[in-house]
Amino acid sequence: MKEQIQVMISEEEVNARISEIAAQISEDFKGEEILVIGILRGGVYFCTELTKKITVPVILDFMEASSYGAGTESSGQVHITKDLIEDIAGKHVIVVEDIVDTGRTLRLLLENLKARGPKSLKLCTLLDKPQRRVVEVQVDYNGFVIPNKFVIGYGMDYAQKYRNLPYIGVVEGE
Ligand code: IMP
């Protein structure tokens, strides 16, 4: 009954990579202010660790969304279950997500955000599973490209469990 968890990316590796991405974002937006949107719930650990290491001024906000018909086919609509508090018009916006899988949810979410008139809009994801991609999404900052495996930890869940693991793991058997 108890799932076995295999470590795919260690806590040290994840943290080191997050420092590198934070340094890159800080460099790219030198002298600017950025508005970071953490995507709930999976992106929350990555978002908080990343923003702690960014050296330019950060406005932090969160959003939760799902595409209708998740698990089967997307209807082409995004359901925003928690919207932003901030107005993003004219701001440099970075969306921070845990993983890009089929790309359906993010594609719709990014279209929704683009319509609000940000000065720039970038996507930052901790993991990218390109083998699973169904719709094209431009990833501007990526932590790790991973194979087509179901991963957990660092915000990602398996039946709502394991989000709080400080590393990226794979569930083996049940
Ligand atoms: P998609 O890119 O629209 O297919 O959906 C991406 C979302 O699916 C992510 O934000 C995660 O919440 C979830 N997801 C996709 N792959 C995994 C995985 O391997 N483990 C945990 N959640 C995943």
Side-chain angles (χ1 to χ4, degrees):
M1 193 61 204
K2 187 100 179 76
E3 302 96 8
Q4 297 290 312
I5 298 166
Q6 201 85 35
V7 177
M8 180 189 263
I9 307 169
S10 71
E11 183 174 2
E12 292 72 25
E13 285 176 284
V14 174
N15 291 337
R17 186 71 188 113
I18 292 175
S19 297
E20 287 176 1
I21 301 169
Q24 184 66 58
I25 291 173
S26 305
E27 178 62 29
D28 293 352
F29 290 93
K30 214 175 194 166
E32 306 276 359
E33 179 182 275
I34 58 174
L35 194 153
V36 172
I37 302 176
I39 305 300
L40 299 172
R41 285 176 259 177
V44 77
Y45 287 85
F46 177 39
C47 183
T48 52
E49 291 307 309
L50 180 75
T51 50
K52 273 158 63 180
K53 294 171 174 172
I54 290 175
T55 55
V56 299
V58 172
I59 295 170
L60 186 61
D61 205 348
F62 292 94
M63 197 171 185
E64 185 174 46
S66 64
S67 50
Y68 285 119
T72 53
E73 288 302 301
S74 171
S75 67
Q77 273 185 295
V78 68
H79 182 213
I80 295 172
T81 44
K82 188 224 168 282
D83 207 344
L84 297 171
I85 293 169
E86 300 296 323
D87 179 3
I88 67 167
K91 305 266 171 61
H92 288 296
V93 174
I94 302 181
V95 173
V96 176
E97 177 63 300
D98 52 357
I99 184 165
V100 183
D101 189 35
T102 66
R104 285 193 178 107
T105 315
L106 271 174
R107 172 69 169 270
L108 295 167
L109 191 65
L110 290 169
E111 277 169 17
N112 179 293
L113 292 173
K114 208 170 179 183
R116 304 184 194 196
K119 192 169 184 181
S120 68
L121 181 62
K122 304 277 185 206
L123 172 61
C124 176
T125 182
L126 181 59
L127 304 177
D128 188 1
K129 246 196 262 185
Q131 287 167 20
R132 290 260 306 161
R133 199 75 92 256
V134 174
V135 296
E136 205 188 310
V137 175
Q138 188 187 323
V139 177
D140 301 290
Y141 302 98
N142 177 45
F144 303 90
V145 171
I146 61 159
N148 186 11
K149 293 205 169 167
F150 192 83
V151 290
I152 49 155
Y154 231 95
M156 287 166 290
D157 75 302
Y158 171 73
Q160 293 307 327
K161 290 187 293 181
Y162 306 118
R163 289 192 196 274
N164 58 317
L165 292 180
Y167 56 86
I168 309 290
V170 183
V171 178
E172 311 244 298
E174 280 168 58

